[in-house]
Amino acid sequence: QVQLVESGGGLVQAGGSLRLTCAASGRSFSSYAMGWFRQAPGKERDIVAAISQSGTFTYYDTSVKGRFTISRDNAKNMVYLQMNSQKPEDTAVYYCAASSRARISRDYAPRQAAFDYWGQGTQVTVSS
């Protein structure tokens, strides 16, 4: 079991950058695949990016590919989302999540139902 705490959200101008951090508590962080999701006002929650237990495999939604980078540091129980070249369409609440069973690959989005634990969310607002 893990608990997740997110930080790093805020207001940024279009074209700018933010780095989100997810701090995990628990004894088996390296056994979980990790993901970032977002939910914009009036829309469903969608996957942004995911990373495998060792960091070898990653997945990115097409809307962020080439702009966002997911990474993790298992020694620190941390996962990050570096967001560059941000667009107003990136405005959303961003959630960190952990999965004990999701398989991460470049071409297939993991199911949200596979993620067992979720953070509280952090607001990202991109102004034009």
Side-chain angles (χ1 to χ4, degrees):
Q1 181 170 302
V2 296
Q3 295 181 359
L4 308 173
V5 179
E6 302 161 345
S7 62
L11 176 65
V12 65
Q13 292 184 345
S17 298
L18 283 175
R19 189 193 194 197
L20 304 183
T21 296
C22 178
S25 63
R27 297 177 178 86
S28 302
F29 175 70
S30 63
S31 70
Y32 294 92
M34 301 295 296
W36 287 98
F37 300 78
R38 66 186 180 185
Q39 186 168 24
K43 297 185 178 181
E44 296 182 346
R45 186 174 61 199
D46 293 321
I47 191 166
V48 177
I51 189 166
S52 62
Q53 291 87 338
S54 65
T56 302
F57 303 101
T58 57
Y59 170 85
Y60 295 95
D61 184 75
T62 56
S63 66
V64 306
K65 192 175 298 183
R67 300 188 297 120
F68 291 10
T69 302
I70 188 171
S71 61
R72 68 189 297 163
D73 186 339
N74 287 346
K76 297 181 178 179
N77 282 19
M78 303 283 279
V79 62
Y80 310 95
L81 184 68
Q82 179 67 46
M83 304 184 292
N84 297 330
S85 302
Q86 290 201 259
K87 304 175 180 179
E89 304 93 277
D90 296 326
T91 296
V93 176
Y94 284 70
Y95 299 90
C96 177
S99 174
S100 61
R101 60 190 179 95
R103 289 190 172 187
I104 310 303
S105 66
R106 183 182 299 271
D107 299 323
Y108 297 96
R111 294 182 176 182
Q112 293 190 38
F115 288 82
D116 309 292
Y117 308 102
W118 294 79
Q120 79 285 352
T122 185
Q123 176 71 48
V124 172
T125 302
V126 184
S127 65
S128 60

